[in-house]
Amino acid sequence: GGTDAQLKDVIIKPDAPSSLLLDKHADYIAAYGSKKDDYEYTLSEYLRMSGIYWGLTVMDLMDQLQRMNRQEIIDFIKACQHECGGISASIGHDPHLLYTLSAVQILCLYDSVDAIDVDKVVDYVKGLQQEDGSFAGDKWGNRSDYLYSFYFFCSSAFILSGKMDTINVGKAVEFVLFSVQQQTPFKCTPGIKCEYFNSAIYCCTGFLSLTGQLHQLNADLLGWWLCERQLPSGGLNGRPEKLPDVCYSWWVLASLKIIGRIHWIDKDKLRRFILACQDEETGGFADRPGDMVDPFHTLFGVAGLSLLGDEQIKAVNPVLCMPEDVLQRVGLRPDLLS
């Protein structure tokens, strides 16, 4: 991939890491969760539940989940569930659909969804659907868009199987299809500048997969646009004229996997870029080589390598960003709603 417009890129140094440092990454994540007094840890309280999901999921993908404090994490999630059924990012925060999903995913990793009041969660997430078919993120109705529709249907895949009769699935599909039809990556032609983040494309593609509507997309055109995100360094960017970022090794690759076009990417070059983003001393992945590592990019770096077929890592599901063996254990197929 790559066009004349994509001038921003990084240079991978000859001494950059070129092999996967699994043990160091496991040490980094295990240590990160124990540093509760650190300034960085304190600042991230507003997204604590998602942070725990990132850390635990990557630990499970590396087959190191046993190193984390299972009971402490389950107790934390229980303390974050509100009377309405929704779950918050941290104790004392307001409940939100995204953090409710993160909490359910964490409990699935531990096969402990029954630790929370599931019926109340079901009522909470179902109550977030709006008249136009979309879903709000919280009771305030803020940002009712296709992103929250995707979060809802991910939650549904885990907890609403067989309980979808009170949800207007048809209207939800209509809303998302209308949304994506307004966005250029889904209908752009060569020469049009598509200003749209691939994380949102991933959410739309995942939603359409969960609802059996992938046929509504032009997979070749979308696949072409996604592959154009690969730069000479091998890394993927979120949109034209932006620097590559390890997290797009997930957003772009997972979307390509879902639509059956992952073989259009230069996998060797992308793998080289991802590995170069490791910190050989501390462990963990950064957004770009030489930058500061964090759990977010560590998950998506490892998950990207899983999609590329790295046999040292468990297989990851491209729609739900969970280990495939976990989904099999809880009896879940991502196509349950289609």
Side-chain angles (χ1 to χ4, degrees):
T3 68
D4 291 338
Q6 295 171 332
L7 302 175
K8 295 185 178 180
D9 200 1
V10 298
I11 296 174
I12 298 178
K13 297 179 180 178
D15 60 348
S18 57
S19 59
L20 182 57
L21 310 172
L22 273 185
D23 290 341
K24 283 190 175 291
H25 301 322
D27 290 345
Y28 164 71
I29 294 294
Y32 189 91
S34 66
K35 298 175 180 177
K36 295 181 175 57
D37 295 326
D38 275 15
Y39 181 67
E40 180 185 359
Y41 188 90
T42 305
L43 277 183
S44 61
E45 184 182 16
Y46 69 96
L47 47 72
R48 177 77 70 243
M49 193 66 71
S50 289
I52 295 173
Y53 156 72
W54 300 331
L56 294 186
T57 300
V58 74
M59 288 295 269
D60 201 349
L61 287 171
M62 298 185 295
D63 204 17
Q64 295 288 322
L65 185 60
Q66 71 278 3
R67 295 182 59 177
M68 309 303 278
N69 191 324
R70 178 181 185 275
Q71 195 56 53
E72 179 183 339
I73 291 163
I74 291 176
D75 289 345
F76 173 75
I77 292 174
K78 290 168 67 175
C80 289
Q81 185 171 29
H82 291 243
E83 183 61 30
C84 66
I87 298 172
S88 55
S90 191
I91 297 169
H93 290 236
D94 290 335
H96 192 280
L97 177 57
L98 173 57
Y99 304 122
T100 302
L101 169 59
S102 294
V104 171
Q105 288 176 294
I106 293 165
L107 292 173
C108 281
L109 290 173
Y110 284 126
D111 201 12
S112 299
V113 175
D114 57 357
I116 55 174
D117 190 326
V118 176
D119 289 338
K120 282 190 174 181
V121 174
V122 169
D123 289 340
Y124 172 74
V125 297
K126 289 197 300 188
L128 293 174
Q129 187 169 31
Q130 309 297 296
E131 288 187 9
D132 62 0
S134 66
F135 289 85
D138 54 30
K139 68 178 182 179
W140 313 110
N142 295 326
R143 280 194 63 203
S144 177
D145 61 21
Y146 44 81
L147 300 179
Y148 293 131
S149 297
F150 174 62
Y151 298 154
F152 168 80
F153 276 88
C154 284
S155 304
S156 302
F158 291 109
I159 62 173
L160 289 181
S161 302
K163 304 176 184 178
M164 295 295 291
D165 52 315
T166 59
I167 291 296
N168 194 328
V169 178
K171 261 200 162 185
V173 170
E174 283 180 16
F175 175 83
V176 172
L177 285 175
F178 176 78
S179 297
V180 301
Q181 285 162 4
Q182 308 310 304
Q183 306 299 336
T184 50
F186 290 89
K187 61 174 186 177
C188 68
T189 55
I192 292 181
K193 184 177 180 182
C194 304
E195 289 292 331
Y196 196 50
F197 280 108
N198 277 310
S199 52
I201 289 177
Y202 164 76
C203 289
C204 291
T205 306
F207 171 89
L208 295 174
S209 176
L210 286 169
T211 54
Q213 298 294 319
L214 278 178
H215 61 278
Q216 303 275 5
L217 294 177
N218 183 331
D220 284 346
L221 198 55
L222 178 57
W224 165 81
W225 194 87
L226 290 168
C227 288
E228 281 294 300
R229 307 282 57 78
Q230 188 164 34
L231 297 164
S233 65
L236 301 165
N237 64 14
R239 51 184 173 147
E241 301 182 57
K242 298 296 180 180
L243 286 168
D245 188 318
V246 155
C247 70
Y248 291 112
S249 304
W250 172 257
W251 310 121
V252 174
L253 269 193
S255 299
L256 286 168
K257 179 76 170 178
I258 292 168
I259 64 174
R261 303 295 187 278
I262 196 170
H263 55 288
W264 287 6
I265 283 284
D266 188 326
K267 294 183 179 181
D268 291 337
K269 288 180 69 175
L270 177 55
R271 177 180 170 82
R272 177 171 172 259
F273 172 81
I274 296 173
L275 293 175
C277 294
Q278 300 175 104
D279 189 311
E280 293 179 289
E281 294 184 11
T282 67
F285 286 77
D287 56 350
R288 286 176 280 278
D291 285 357
M292 185 74 72
V293 301
D294 60 68
F296 174 85
H297 288 94
T298 300
L299 167 59
F300 293 127
V302 170
L305 290 171
S306 176
L307 288 176
L308 290 172
D310 194 308
E311 295 182 354
Q312 301 175 80
I313 306 168
K314 288 184 181 182
V316 67
N317 182 272
V319 177
L320 300 173
C321 196
M322 293 278 284
E324 290 281 14
D325 65 341
V326 171
L327 302 185
Q328 292 170 8
R329 188 177 70 233
V330 300
L332 176 70
R333 295 192 327 272
D335 61 347
L336 273 174
L337 301 177
S338 60

